[in-house]
Amino acid sequence: MRLIFMGTPDFSVPVLEALVAAGHEVAAVYCQPPRPAGRGKKDRPTPVQARAEEMGLEVRHPVSLKGADEQADFAALGADVAVVVAYGLILPQAILDAPKRGCLNIHASLLPRWRGAAPIHRAIMAGDARTGVCIMQMEAGLDTGPVLLRRETEIGQTETTGALHDRLSRMGAEAIIEALARLDDLTPEPQPDEGVTYAAKIDKAEARVDWSRPCRQVDRLIRGLSPFPGAWCEHRGERIKLLASELAEGAGCPGEVLEAAGGGALRVACGEGAVRLLRLQRAGRGAQDAETFLRGLPLVPGDML
């Protein structure tokens, strides 16, 4: 099948690789333009652009798809289908209508739950037991199109957004290959009006840990914001990112270190219960497991975070 691929971040790369491996013809790859990154603030290509160029594929990264010229160039590719996954731009109707069989989106949630920008983060932060991926026929609304195929999975009790992100990316790659192979047989199912929730983009103001909250909420925040932007707290004015945790027993003042023992046990009291911090990061340093972290910053019971 002749395809246009539209995606930008790491999440999209396994999908592109799977499409090529399955023998589909990728007429062009659309992604976001390179942007300044790193200490030198030099333009850096997106993960999709970098991988597509390694694979010898044509890459296009227009700033917008609203112009008549861009829309004509897109239509001229003569694609059967456009596969869209975390592209980053809203597609005008002219783009949606250009491929012979429309645009298929891979969305990382069980629609209609968690439409929008941050479905993986929000599912973990909300304490959802299950999530998955949907192959959706795109229309003008925000993730409102009918679903062709869905795949479900459990969310692990200590799973972070980073780990779930990687699993759902692979699941999405497998699902789109199946959907394209069965395209003539799949029946689009309209999304129900009930159960709609929106996964708003993560605001950095959400990332500071409020230790007065119950331990389950604190644990979900830490795991849901890992690795980016990273939940954080302070110790004597130093900011510390918290990147992995699990529920633990214990009680004390919210933010009080209950245990900081050898072997990496680092328990902190919440408004109700406690959490065990498993992976942390000091400013300007790499992420560390709790045992290594405590060797560099020897916390003791009674310290406050």
Side-chain angles (χ1 to χ4, degrees), residues 65-261:
L65 291 170
K66 294 180 180 179
D69 289 345
E70 285 295 348
Q71 293 175 6
D73 290 344
F74 186 91
L77 290 168
D80 298 306
V81 173
V83 173
V84 185
V85 51
Y87 175 45
L89 285 180
I90 294 176
L91 304 188
Q93 193 64 48
I95 296 293
L96 295 173
D97 293 340
K100 297 180 182 68
R101 307 194 67 173
C103 300
L104 301 184
N105 177 247
I106 304 172
H107 188 75
S109 80
L110 298 177
L111 293 167
R113 186 162 178 79
W114 302 129
R115 294 173 179 171
I120 303 175
H121 297 79
R122 296 297 177 188
I124 291 180
M125 291 167 70
D128 291 3
R130 300 184 66 80
T131 187
V133 294
C134 286
I135 307 301
M136 178 190 68
Q137 187 80 47
M138 295 183 71
E139 57 183 32
L142 177 63
D143 300 328
T144 57
V147 174
L148 295 173
L149 191 72
R150 65 176 66 225
R151 292 288 177 265
E152 296 190 25
T153 185
E154 292 186 358
I155 298 176
Q157 292 185 351
T158 60
E159 196 160 24
T160 64
T161 284
L164 184 57
H165 165 285
D166 292 348
R167 285 207 298 121
L168 293 180
S169 177
R170 294 190 295 270
M171 186 181 297
E174 294 169 0
I176 191 63
I177 296 303
E178 179 180 348
L180 291 172
R182 298 174 52 201
L183 200 53
D184 291 333
D185 303 322
L186 295 174
T187 301
E189 296 183 2
Q191 294 184 38
D193 294 329
E194 296 181 358
V196 175
T197 59
Y198 289 93
K201 185 178 179 180
I202 299 297
D203 188 327
K204 289 185 178 180
E206 299 178 73
R208 182 164 191 166
V209 174
D210 180 355
W211 296 108
S212 69
R213 293 184 177 273
C215 59
R216 290 188 181 277
Q217 292 184 21
V218 172
D219 174 60
R220 292 168 186 167
L221 179 76
I222 292 170
R223 292 186 295 109
L225 297 184
S226 175
F228 181 82
W232 61 276
C233 63
E234 288 185 335
H235 174 65
R236 296 178 181 173
E238 179 182 355
R239 182 179 291 206
I240 301 169
K241 274 190 178 183
L242 312 177
L243 298 173
S245 61
E246 63 184 9
L247 299 176
E249 296 182 354
C253 295
E256 179 184 356
V257 175
L258 301 177
E259 181 183 13

